[in-house]
Amino acid sequence: MRQGDRAELPTVRDASGEEICLAELARRGWLVLFFYPKAGSPGCSIQARRYASLAGQFQSLGAAVFGVSPDPPEVQCRFADRTGVRMIPDPEGRLARAYGVGRRLGLWLRRDTVLIN
C-alpha cells in the first residue's frame, strides 16, 4: 500500500470481541493501525506502550489507535490489558494483506504502521 491508495476498511472484532467498523472510524477522523509480530514479546511490549503513552495526543487529533497481530484473541486481550491499547487479532492475516504489511521469516508480521484518513 502506498500513500494515496484507497484502504480496505472492513468491520472487525477487537480482542474482547467488540465489533469495530473501521470505515466509520475513518469517517470520523484518523485511523492508526500498528502491526506487530508477537504480543508480550519485549519489542512488541515497548512498541505498544509507546502508542499508549501517546494516547492523549492521538485523541486530541481525533485518531483511533489499534494494535494488530496474528495472535489469538485471548492473548491479545491480556496484552491489551497490560498495555492499555485496543488490539485487533488478525490470525489469518486479512488486515496485514489488505495494507501490504509483510511477514518476516514467513512467520511473523513486520512492524509497520498504517495511517488512514
Side-chain angles (χ1 to χ4, degrees):
M1 173 168 256
R2 295 178 186 195
Q3 185 174 342
D5 287 352
R6 248 188 169 0
E8 179 182 341
L9 296 167
T11 297
V12 296
R13 294 203 178 271
D14 72 5
S16 64
E18 185 179 331
E19 193 171 85
I20 301 166
C21 179
L22 296 179
E24 178 61 32
L25 289 173
R27 276 192 291 277
R28 288 191 229 155
W30 296 93
L31 180 58
V32 179
L33 302 175
F34 69 93
F35 290 81
Y36 62 94
K38 181 92 175 115
S41 67
C44 295
S45 295
I46 290 168
Q47 181 183 16
R49 285 190 195 112
R50 181 64 178 144
Y51 277 95
S53 75
L54 297 170
Q57 291 178 37
F58 282 119
Q59 188 174 25
S60 72
L61 296 170
V65 178
F66 297 92
V68 182
S69 89
D71 294 302
E74 60 276 4
V75 171
Q76 289 267 24
C77 207
R78 288 191 303 271
F79 192 51
D81 288 344
R82 285 196 315 268
T83 61
V85 178
R86 284 179 76 185
M87 304 293 174
I88 298 173
D90 190 29
E92 293 86 32
R94 176 180 171 198
L95 289 177
R97 282 190 305 280
Y99 300 121
V101 176
R103 295 198 173 264
R104 194 179 96 203
L105 305 175
L107 301 171
W108 306 107
L109 292 178
R110 265 190 352 232
R111 289 183 203 285
D112 214 343
T113 301
V114 176
L115 178 63
I116 299 167
N117 72 351

